[in-house]
Amino acid sequence: RYQAQSATLELADDTAPDLAVLVGELTEVRTVDAQAGRLDNVRRSLRMPRLTLDEPLIDRPAETITYHEALALAQADGSKQVTDAAQRMVDRTLLLGRRILGHVNERAASSVACLLLMLMGSLLAILNRGQLPLVVYFWSFLAAIAVVVVINVGQRSTGTEGSWLIGGLTMLWSGNAALVAVVFLLYERVARH
């Protein structure tokens, strides 16, 4: 008798649908003599090349069963664990999609913010040409910190479960909208002078 910590089974031959041929691998295997009740040896792994099952694994091939049909079959069999696992998988997939959307928008907003901050710094340098450069650096730095914080807060709220997706994306891009307004105001002042 074999006792193992874990095992993996792979389908080796699926040409005959009524007879499945599996390849198995056991890890951390203990071989026990069932009649004597003693441990014979311990192996790190044991490969079992051809395992056959007397009965078919499924009635229909998996390719022909849709996701909703599989859930209906699981519910008909009374398998609450399967339906709960399927729902968790759907929820996690949706959350992953939200996180990806948040990260993509964060990177896009950061690149747009870099361009806008350069424009703002240039306009500030023109307006404050008689003063020290530290004045321009100071105001540009404050604007950059504010925009980075707003973008990060928007990205986190976009990728959080249960939060409002449109609200998070709006917050994420609101820092750039504020920078566009500041750049237009500074441009108007420069154009007047």
Side-chain angles (χ1 to χ4, degrees), residues 98 158 163-171:
R98 287 178 65 127
T158 299
S163 65
W164 188 36
L165 180 66
I166 302 298
L169 289 174
T170 303
M171 173 170 280

Side-chain angles (χ1 to χ4, degrees), residues 4-119:
Q5 292 291 328
S6 63
T8 57
L9 294 173
E10 293 180 11
L11 193 60
D13 184 10
D14 61 352
T15 54
D18 54 339
L19 180 67
V21 178
L22 303 172
V23 174
E25 184 167 355
L26 306 175
T27 56
E28 301 299 325
V29 184
R30 297 165 50 119
T31 306
V32 178
D33 186 351
Q35 293 174 345
R38 69 176 192 275
L39 175 68
D40 282 347
N41 64 9
V42 177
R43 295 185 192 177
R44 180 166 286 184
S45 67
L46 176 65
R47 189 162 175 81
M48 307 177 97
R50 290 187 66 82
L51 301 172
T52 57
L53 299 174
D54 296 333
E55 56 190 41
L57 290 175
I58 55 173
D59 297 332
R60 290 167 52 194
E63 300 87 39
T64 63
I65 300 175
T66 66
Y67 171 74
H68 296 294
E69 285 178 319
L71 275 182
L73 288 171
Q75 288 171 345
D77 290 342
S79 179
K80 183 166 173 15
Q81 290 178 337
V82 172
T83 55
D84 289 347
Q87 188 58 47
R88 280 195 310 273
M89 182 189 69
V90 168
D91 292 343
R92 287 184 181 174
T93 304
L94 291 174
L95 182 62
L96 179 63
R98 287 178 65 127
R99 286 184 179 160
I100 290 170
L101 183 67
H103 283 294
V104 167
N105 276 280
E106 176 195 20
R107 290 180 182 180
S110 295
S111 62
V112 170
C114 287
L115 176 67
L116 292 172
L117 285 167
M118 283 186 358
L119 285 172

Side-chain angles (χ1 to χ4, degrees), residues 122-139:
S122 301
L123 292 170
L124 279 174
I126 292 170
L127 282 174
N128 298 316
R129 62 181 171 264
Q131 297 180 4
L132 292 173
L134 288 176
V135 173
V136 175
Y137 296 150
F138 174 74
W139 290 112

